[in-house]
């Protein structure tokens, strides 16, 4: 197919997010991007008897939050143009496309979680607001909203900001939630009853130790994960006596997630090995662990059905994310039943998608770095480095539309998992803190570029860099530090430019993350924030620069752009600016992605042509 047909096909290929199985096991719901002008909700029967049903059809991104306890409705949230000031809705399965408002639109605060109580009347969620005063605050409090009377009862009041997502017990008696009151790097878990009368700490392994917790379906036990210096421990907390039994405690394993689905006593353990998913089922009573056989790509079990069958999520760089039914004892992709019927919704085939090639190189201090290399089918027009966000995240063997389009248009793409990425063990993830953001992890990326040049895969003067969020910040670092022979062009998307401005204007729940990564606040370590802010070094920019920003972004706010534009002007540095009025943190709407991808192709192609300037 020609380039325009390919791009249109790529931008209509649904991208799955947040698949969840109902408590009764009869339905699986998920959010799909690119099935319309914005993200929407779909649901499908887990027996595969029918095609997916569209539950919402909107002009704004709508995300699945939770299932109602009776499995007959879902709770969803929707914001305005990506501003993340979300409103909750209920959508009943027997009344698709009808969104019943539960909270007010565009609140002056951010909400987290959203669980419906078994009585169908109370909604439990977190919000950084003092509802009585109507004022936005720094910490996220836990609320119980009475949907009949409108009463908002505060169940718990954490003292400091942080990413806090309340988790209502299946029985509706208690709420689990995390706190970051003691240290920016740590999480302690607390338990509060549904009336807000008894709020107590149940998991604390040190002020700066990360802990996570989730419910067993019986509502009497809690699955706990606790970080040590080298690995994650997995255990079961009995609430009746406060005792915890450790089931997995192996420094050689990189366990990143664990949960207990409804309908099962077994714990699903999600392990990441060299950025690839490997899962197992763990019996909490006996400690016996059953590892799922390896399959091409990534398979995550979500919930059990009958007769050894499970619902899972399956994906790779040549397999769109799919909700599937599979036999856990023999998970052969050839025998999977596609519940989302993803391939029926696209003219693309696996052959139209570039595979992710596992590559590695050695960084400046000898640390091995892994990445994914995507090669075009013809002589490359140049190389684009795509840097993932986070940084506590990792790029997987999965479809990335931006990467796939650039490869189809003739560019080689390198997608590095620099230090600080998840997927390679805690020591690798924590290594970014040694000297903070903008330190050795940026040298990991540079070393990858130089290695690709040395191997003849990339060519000096024909390498560009892009990425969103922390990837955008990395693009700013590269273009303001390295000569055009290393990085000839940069297209930062929603990237931080001044780390002090970013700290002061971002969402309050993200400030502790900056403090953790930088070793303190701007007041505590001002020199480091200055040194690692690209805005102070834009006078060094020699290559082409395209700034991309969502103007509703509450994470990396447009103030980052306003301040850097002034600095660029004072330094006499030319640049291009592409703004999206109806986008927040990242460019997600298909119409906007088309504008962005075409502009990126044009920008990098021009920057890589000798004698031409993309500025």
């Amino acid at each position: 197919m020609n380039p325009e047909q390919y791009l249109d096909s790529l931008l209509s290929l649904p991208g799955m997010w947040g698949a969840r199985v109902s408590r009764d096991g009869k339905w699986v719901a998920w959010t799909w991007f690119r099935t319309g002008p914005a993200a929407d909700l779909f649901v499908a029967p887990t027996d595969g008897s029918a095609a997916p049903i569209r539950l919402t059809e909107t002009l704004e991104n709508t995300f699945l939050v939770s299932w109602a306890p009776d499995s007959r409705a879902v709770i969803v949230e929707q914001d305005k143009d990506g501003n993340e000031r979300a409103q909750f809705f209920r959508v009943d399965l027997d009344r698709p496309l009808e969104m019943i408002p539960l909270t007010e639109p565009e609140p002056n605060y951010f909400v987290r979680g959203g669980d419906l109580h078994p009585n169908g009347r109370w909604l439990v969620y977190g919000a950084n607001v003092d509802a009585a005063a109507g004022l936005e605050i720094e910490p996220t409090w836990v609320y119980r909203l009475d949907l009949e009377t409108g009463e908002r009862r505060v169940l718990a009041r954490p003292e400091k900001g942080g990413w806090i997502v309340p988790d209502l017990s299946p029985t509706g008696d208690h709420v689990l939630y995390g706190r970051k009151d003691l240290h920016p790097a740590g999480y302690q878990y607390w338990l509060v009853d549904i009336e807000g009368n008894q709020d107590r700490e149940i998991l604390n392994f040190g002020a700066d130790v990360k802990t996570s917790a989730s419910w067993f379906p019986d509502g009497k036990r809690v699955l706990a994960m606790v970080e040590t210096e080298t690995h994650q421990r997995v255990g079961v907390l009995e609430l009746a006596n406060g005792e915890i039994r450790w089931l997995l405690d192996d420094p050689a394993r990189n366990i990143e997630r664990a949960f207990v689905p409804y309908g099962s006593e077994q714990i699903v353990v999600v392990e990441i090995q060299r950025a690839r998913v490997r899962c197992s089922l763990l019996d909490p009573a006996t400690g016996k662990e059953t590892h799922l056989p390896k399959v091409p790509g990534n398979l995550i079990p979500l919930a059990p059905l009958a007769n050894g069958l499970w619902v899972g999520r399956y994906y790779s760089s040549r397999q769109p994310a799919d909700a599937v039914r599979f036999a856990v004892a023999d998970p052969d992709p050839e025998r999977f039943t596609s519940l989302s019927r993803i391939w029926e919704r696209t003219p693309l085939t696996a052959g139209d998608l570039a595979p992710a090639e596992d590559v590695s190189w050695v960084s400046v201090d000898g640390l091995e770095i892994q990445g994914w290399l995507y090669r075009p089918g013809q002589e490359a027009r140049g190389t684009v480095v795509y840097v993932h966000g986070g940084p506590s995240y990792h790029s997987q063997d999965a479809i990335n539309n931006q990467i796939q389009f650039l490869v189809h248009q003739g560019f080689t793409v390198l997608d590095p998992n620099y230090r600080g990425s998840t997927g390679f063990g805690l020591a690798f993830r924590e290594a970014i803190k040694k000297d903070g953001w903008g330190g050795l992890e940026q040298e990991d990326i540079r070393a990858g570029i130089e290695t690709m040049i040395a191997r003849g895969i990339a060519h000096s003067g024909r390498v560009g860099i892009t990425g969103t969020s922390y990837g955008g910040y990395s693009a700013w670092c590269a273009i303001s530090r390295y000569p055009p022979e290393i990085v000839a062009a940069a297209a930062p998307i929603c990237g931080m430019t001044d780390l002090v401005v970013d700290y002061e204007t971002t969402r309050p729940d993200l400030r502790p993350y900056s403090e953790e990564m930088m070793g303190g606040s701007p007041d505590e370590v001002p020199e480091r924030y200055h040194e690692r802010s690209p805005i102070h070094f834009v006078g060094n920019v020699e290559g082409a620069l395209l700034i991309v920003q969502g103007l509703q972004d509450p994470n990396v706010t447009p103030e980052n752009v306003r301040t850097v534009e002034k600095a660029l002007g004072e330094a006499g540095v030319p640049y291009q600016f592409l703004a999206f009025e109806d986008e927040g943190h990242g460019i997600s709407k298909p119409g906007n992605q088309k504008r962005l991808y075409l502009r990126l192709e044009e920008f990098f192609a021009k920057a890589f042509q000798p004698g031409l300037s993309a500025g």
Side-chain angles (χ1 to χ4, degrees), residues 18-233:
R20 296 191 179 199
V21 178
S22 60
R23 293 191 184 185
D24 63 7
K26 295 180 179 179
W27 300 92
V28 56
W30 63 87
T31 297
W32 250 348
F33 289 88
R34 299 185 295 276
T35 57
D40 277 306
L41 264 290
F42 287 77
V43 65
T46 56
D47 62 4
S49 60
I53 302 166
R54 178 186 282 271
L55 288 184
T56 66
E57 189 166 9
T58 67
L59 297 177
E60 301 289 354
N61 287 336
T62 306
F63 295 99
L64 174 65
V65 173
S66 62
W67 274 97
D70 64 3
S71 300
R72 297 304 306 164
V74 291
I75 305 300
V76 304
E77 65 177 25
Q78 182 185 87
D79 67 3
K80 174 69 174 176
D81 292 334
N83 66 5
E84 299 184 28
R85 307 279 185 173
Q87 178 180 16
F88 288 122
F89 297 84
R90 173 184 175 128
V91 183
D92 294 315
L93 298 191
D94 57 2
R95 289 187 291 176
L97 308 185
E98 182 180 338
M99 298 174 63
I100 304 169
L102 303 180
T103 57
E104 67 273 21
E106 295 190 74
N108 65 332
Y109 52 86
F110 302 99
V111 297
R112 298 285 175 257
D115 289 327
L116 190 64
H117 192 272
N119 65 16
R121 177 173 171 172
W122 295 336
L123 184 70
V124 174
Y125 61 93
N128 65 312
V129 65
D130 182 336
L135 298 176
E136 184 175 21
I137 58 176
E138 190 87 2
T140 296
W141 288 356
V142 180
Y143 278 93
R144 188 192 81 188
L145 169 64
D146 190 314
L147 298 175
E148 294 184 8
T149 67
E151 177 201 16
R152 283 178 167 87
R153 175 175 294 192
V154 181
L155 302 183
R157 292 178 171 86
E159 297 174 3
K160 294 186 178 180
W163 184 268
I164 294 172
V165 182
D167 185 8
L168 179 65
S169 67
T171 55
D173 299 326
H174 292 87
V175 180
L176 272 175
Y177 71 99
R179 286 196 183 210
K180 294 179 71 70
D181 294 346
L182 304 181
H183 191 279
Y187 264 109
Q188 295 75 43
Y189 258 76
W190 288 58
L191 185 73
V192 62
D193 72 282
I194 196 61
E195 297 296 335
N197 294 327
Q198 296 180 342
D199 187 19
R200 60 188 177 94
E201 185 181 72
I202 59 171
L203 294 170
N204 183 345
F205 296 89
D208 62 348
V209 175
K210 288 183 174 65
T211 303
S212 60
S214 59
W215 290 104
F216 273 76
D218 61 12
K220 299 177 181 179
R221 293 169 292 168
V222 170
L223 178 65
M225 292 186 63
V226 180
E227 291 186 0
T228 70
E229 292 184 358
T230 58
H231 64 286
Q232 293 257 32
R233 305 168 73 191

Side-chain angles (χ1 to χ4, degrees), residues 313-360:
R313 185 170 178 265
Y314 179 56
Y315 59 96
S316 74
S317 58
R318 306 187 90 175
Q319 165 64 52
D322 191 5
V324 299
R325 192 174 79 244
F326 68 97
V328 71
D330 183 21
D332 181 358
E334 295 294 323
R335 293 196 293 273
F336 287 177
T337 299
S338 174
L339 304 177
S340 66
R341 304 188 183 184
I342 184 67
W343 286 114
E344 297 177 11
R345 304 183 70 93
T346 178
L348 296 173
T349 67
D352 296 315
L353 300 166
E357 178 184 339
D358 190 335
V359 295
S360 61

Side-chain angles (χ1 to χ4, degrees), residues 237-410:
L237 172 67
E238 299 283 351
L239 291 178
N241 55 24
E243 294 182 359
I244 188 166
R245 294 181 292 111
W246 296 110
L247 302 174
L248 296 177
D249 191 3
D250 186 348
R253 298 185 63 175
N254 182 34
I255 298 169
E256 293 207 350
R257 185 185 173 205
F259 62 95
V260 186
Y262 288 99
S264 174
E265 266 290 308
Q266 296 189 90
I267 302 166
V268 176
V269 179
V270 182
E271 188 170 356
I272 310 295
Q273 299 175 2
R274 197 173 170 86
R276 294 187 184 275
V277 173
R278 297 291 180 255
C279 293
S280 60
L281 301 179
L282 176 65
D283 188 323
T286 65
K288 179 182 178 181
E289 189 174 12
T290 303
H291 292 269
L292 271 65
K294 292 183 179 180
V295 298
N298 306 280
L299 175 64
I300 302 176
L302 297 178
L305 301 175
N307 303 319
L309 298 177
W310 279 65
V311 175
R313 185 170 178 265
Y314 179 56
Y315 59 96
S316 74
S317 58
R318 306 187 90 175
Q319 165 64 52
D322 191 5
V324 299
R325 192 174 79 244
F326 68 97
V328 71
D330 183 21
D332 181 358
E334 295 294 323
R335 293 196 293 273
F336 287 177
T337 299
S338 174
L339 304 177
S340 66
R341 304 188 183 184
I342 184 67
W343 286 114
E344 297 177 11
R345 304 183 70 93
T346 178
L348 296 173
T349 67
D352 296 315
L353 300 166
E357 178 184 339
D358 190 335
V359 295
S360 61
W361 59 91
V362 176
S363 190
V364 291
D365 60 350
L367 185 66
E368 182 184 9
I369 306 299
Q370 185 269 352
W372 304 105
L373 184 67
Y374 298 81
R375 304 177 191 247
Q378 67 271 20
E379 183 179 351
R381 301 164 68 186
T383 299
V384 177
V385 180
Y386 176 92
V387 184
H388 71 72
S392 302
Y393 182 73
H394 67 274
S395 288
Q396 302 182 67
D397 176 13
I399 293 174
N400 178 303
N401 276 8
Q402 185 174 323
I403 291 176
Q404 291 293 338
F405 174 70
L406 290 171
V407 174
H408 187 268
Q409 296 308 106

Side-chain angles (χ1 to χ4, degrees), residues 421-597:
S421 301
T422 56
F424 300 88
L426 288 183
F428 189 87
R429 190 197 74 189
E430 295 293 283
I432 195 173
K433 297 181 186 178
K434 180 179 180 180
D435 56 355
W437 284 347
L440 285 171
E441 87 284 4
Q442 301 303 322
E443 292 302 300
D444 298 341
I445 298 168
R446 174 175 178 157
I449 295 171
E450 292 175 334
T451 300
M452 294 303 111
I453 292 174
R455 293 176 183 174
I457 296 170
H459 301 281
S460 179
R462 292 171 57 197
V463 177
I465 186 168
T466 188
T468 298
S469 191
Y470 200 82
Y473 168 71
S474 297
W476 275 111
C477 288
I479 199 68
S480 62
R481 295 181 184 183
Y482 308 142
E485 292 77 21
I486 301 296
V487 174
I493 304 169
C494 302
M496 306 98 78
T497 62
D498 185 325
L499 295 181
V500 176
V501 168
D502 182 69
Y503 180 90
E504 292 173 345
T505 62
T506 192
R507 293 194 330 248
D509 58 324
L510 292 180
R511 291 190 191 111
Y513 187 52
S514 296
E515 294 173 17
E516 175 188 356
M517 292 293 165
M518 295 296 286
S521 69
D523 289 339
E524 294 168 325
V525 286
E527 296 85 2
R528 177 170 284 187
Y529 275 81
H530 183 278
E531 178 190 347
R532 302 303 169 77
S533 294
I535 193 171
H536 302 302
F537 306 98
V538 294
N540 300 331
V541 174
E542 297 181 61
L545 175 62
L546 169 64
I547 305 170
V548 182
Q549 181 71 35
L551 297 185
Q552 309 303 319
D553 190 348
N555 183 327
V556 179
T557 66
E559 191 63 28
N560 282 269
V561 174
R562 285 190 282 269
T563 56
V564 84
E565 282 190 298
K566 180 181 178 182
L568 289 166
E570 292 174 350
V573 175
Y575 65 94
Q576 302 174 39
F577 182 38
L578 179 60
F580 293 90
E581 292 278 355
D582 59 343
E583 294 281 9
H585 194 56
I587 313 305
S588 66
K589 296 179 180 178
N592 292 335
Q593 286 185 338
K594 185 170 186 177
R595 277 183 63 204
L596 173 62
Y597 295 174

